[in-house]
Amino acid sequence: MPKDKIIFACQVCGHQAPKWLGKCPDCGGWNTLVEEVLSPARGRVPDLKKDKPHSIHEIESSDDDRILTGIEELDRVLGGGIVPGSVILVGGDPGIGKSTLLLQAIDGISRNRKVLYVSGEESPKQIKLRGMRIGVTSKDLIILSETSLDLILQSIDEIKPKVLVIDSIQTVFTSDLPSAPGSIGQVRESSGRLMFYAKRTGIPIFIIGHVTKDGSIAGPRVLEHIVDTVLYFEGDTGHTFRILRAVKNRFGSTNEIGVFEMKDSGLTEVKNPSEIFLAERPHNVTGSVVVSSMEGTRPILIELQALVSPTNFGVPRRTSIGVDYNRVSLLLAVLEKRAGLHLMGQDVFLNVVGGIRIDEPAIDLGILAAVTSSFKEIPIDPRTFVIGEVGLAGEIRAISQIEARIKEGAKLGFKRVIIPINNAKKTSKVKDIEVIGVASVDETLEILFR
Ligand code: TYD
Ligand code: MG
């Protein structure tokens, strides 16, 4: 059989070259050429079968085919279980717990189906050791230590699993490409073939991928647009909390998150994240405030902390962890201009407790409250929480899903909530909690620090 031809193709403009080049001669992009197999590789030629067009009305489909992992947090992030034939990429920093999560997930699945876990990183003995520790014992869970894609595909044909896990895509290689495993060309080619395999056979595949330092899944996000679902497993290695987030999902919402805690016996689900995130909250300390963030369909209450202290250098420092830096700068400017707080000579540090990240304008008001509390050295009533987006004119703007947020607060024993006036007008009364509507930053600060 003739050897497949290798070419180098620019990922930006498509220019092809017989040799690797640092700069694309066509579009001028640097380091954009990636090795590819030119001819369709053996066994990869699709069985060309002509499909007849259907009216959408006639197509039969149901959500019942989804495979449940039994881990509710994971099933919810997937959009209600695994869709047959889908390819799910699970990305995250090394050591965050990806292998652990998937071992636990497929243990649940393999109670009544065969599941194949292919590891290129650990030997079967090591996997067994970990499995014993976290209670993964199913006899239908089959472990294969292999890195050659061709051999992996052969094994799948023999074993015929119902779900497949590849841990990790960076260790898998095909001998059609001369480059080392983990290179962009290898990652792309291997996942392309796995993708094709999944679509042809209907076997769902989990692909684990390590995230490189700049935050992209190695092979600069090349995988993200070919797979159906991209999940990121994130968290601070210093903290025990782990968040599973969908960044792309063809079969569900991308707003959902799953919260886990890493323990000695593996990952456990956190069913009520608010309670955990607020568990160690100090009382009557300045700079601490509770805010509400919607994570998909769930409201989560989280503590925000600010520390404002006189700067020692000419230029004040502004540091934010867990919230967008630009947003914080903008809000500090609003405080300065609209509320007359002199933050010019002050360092400002802001932190979301628990090592999680919030990207929601509904916490704006919380940021202002925390900073003001630390600046004025007045603590905020621990049984009050604040919700609201802040505009540049110092106005408080309405936010979505207000009732769910208020109810979550009431459930956790909060007695008072400050919300945007336009939300307050439309909200019906919630038991045991006082709802205060505010229109401006001034008004909020007046209520909190009177
Ligand atoms: P792992 O799943 O190997 O991470 P990844 O596959 O993302 O590289 O998890 C490794 C970390 O998890 C390791 O630092 C130890 C920790 N861990 C626990 O704390 N408890 C456990 O039961 C297990 C299995 C791992
Ligand atoms: Mg691993």
Side-chain angles (χ1 to χ4, degrees), residues 53-124:
H54 301 277
S55 144
I56 192 159
H57 183 72
E58 294 166 359
I59 302 171
E60 277 184 35
S61 176
S62 80
D63 239 13
D64 305 343
D65 307 337
R66 289 192 185 235
I67 303 169
L68 295 180
T69 64
I71 300 180
E72 269 176 47
E73 298 284 308
L74 174 61
D75 287 337
R76 201 187 46 248
V77 174
L78 286 171
I82 307 165
V83 173
S86 64
V87 175
I88 302 150
L89 176 66
V90 181
D93 289 325
I96 204 78
K98 301 179 295 297
S99 307
T100 311
L101 175 71
L102 283 179
L103 264 180
Q104 288 181 247
I106 57 178
D107 183 51
I109 301 171
S110 62
R111 288 288 143 79
N112 42 22
R113 307 176 185 82
K114 245 189 205 167
V115 176
L116 179 63
Y117 181 93
V118 180
S119 179
E121 303 195 332
E122 287 157 286
S123 70

Side-chain angles (χ1 to χ4, degrees), residues 147 169-173 179-183 186-187:
T147 54
I169 192 68
Q170 275 99 355
T171 59
V172 174
F173 73 96
S179 59
S183 66
Q186 286 283 8
V187 166

